[in-house]
Amino acid sequence: MLDPERDSAARRFAQLGFMAIETQWLANFASVCTRRAYAADVRDFAAFSGLQTQSELLQVARSHVLAWRHHLQAQGLSPSTQRRKLAALSSLMEHLLDEQLIPTNPARGVRRPRLETHEGKTPALSLEQAKALLEAPDANTLKGVRDRAILAVMLLGGLRRAEVVTLRVRDFDCQRAGVAHLRVLGKGGKTRFIAAAPLMRERVQHYLEMRWHSFKAMSACSCE
């Protein structure tokens, strides 16, 4: 007769093994967003397939992957979301294969939905809209000047919001072949350099000068 307490302990131990595999696999990705999305995708597959232990994970077959793909299609998910989820599962299985825990990758070769267009899905601003956006903040206040500088960096440099918030003053003081460049820390911890447009440099410099004068004025008031 099985001891319920011992059986429960064995299941918890096996579950820890499952989590250890996931942790090792996710450590290969530098991007926090990628780790979060891939972890959710794999857990979605585990929930659909009823996987609870490491042993069950290692027994996943191509039929499981095909059934999950059909399930994703039935949910009405976009082709790009389906592709990402299948890519996440295939990546995990490839990790297990590299660790010699499974003989083949059951997700390899499983067809993923085709994307209907090669164009990006991010809405693009027209030239008139971009100009209006650049001029929208109030040029007579410190906050407005700051926002004008931020918008110039984002629009003229093509930076993501997450990249803008990590910028430091020293990142604007880079020279490459005699041309002013902006140093950007991008996805995956990779650094790239982009040419700093004159308007971008002008607005950033104006904000820094205005901020410095504001700081001096506040310091003088506090000393009186």
Side-chain angles (χ1 to χ4, degrees), residues 110-130:
V110 172
R111 291 188 178 181
R112 303 170 191 173
R114 296 181 60 182
L115 299 178
E116 298 298 327
T117 178
H118 295 291
E119 297 181 359
K121 293 186 176 181
T122 303
L125 296 175
S126 67
L127 180 58
E128 291 73 19
Q129 290 173 322

Side-chain angles (χ1 to χ4, degrees), residues 23-173:
T23 300
Q24 293 171 5
W25 163 60
L26 292 175
N28 293 315
F29 303 99
S31 169
V32 174
C33 294
T34 298
R35 291 199 299 269
R36 185 184 301 116
Y38 273 22
D41 294 336
V42 168
R43 288 165 190 166
D44 183 24
F45 171 75
F48 170 77
S49 304
L51 305 180
Q52 295 184 342
T53 68
Q54 175 180 330
S55 177
E56 291 172 345
L57 174 64
L58 301 181
Q59 296 301 316
V60 168
R62 188 181 181 86
S63 58
H64 295 95
V65 182
L66 293 173
W68 190 47
R69 184 185 66 177
H70 179 74
H71 171 69
L72 297 177
Q73 293 171 344
Q75 285 186 306
L77 299 178
S78 67
S80 60
T81 299
Q82 295 180 46
R83 288 176 63 88
R84 191 202 67 223
K85 287 180 174 292
L86 290 167
L89 179 60
S90 181
S91 175
L92 172 60
M93 292 299 164
E94 202 67 29
H95 170 74
L96 297 178
L97 180 62
D98 291 341
E99 296 293 322
Q100 299 183 346
L101 294 173
I102 57 176
T104 60
N105 178 355
R108 184 184 296 174
V110 172
R111 291 188 178 181
R112 303 170 191 173
R114 296 181 60 182
L115 299 178
E116 298 298 327
T117 178
H118 295 291
E119 297 181 359
K121 293 186 176 181
T122 303
L125 296 175
S126 67
L127 180 58
E128 291 73 19
Q129 290 173 322
K131 287 181 178 178
L133 184 58
L134 284 170
E135 298 301 324
D138 189 349
N140 297 311
T141 66
L142 181 61
K143 180 179 181 298
V145 171
R146 181 204 63 186
D147 292 345
R148 289 165 68 88
I150 291 174
L151 289 171
V153 172
M154 295 185 73
L155 289 175
L156 301 178
L159 272 67
R160 302 178 181 86
R161 180 178 59 181
E163 294 172 335
V164 172
V165 299
T166 62
L167 290 175
R168 299 293 181 266
V169 174
R170 61 177 178 272
D171 294 324
F172 291 88
D173 191 26

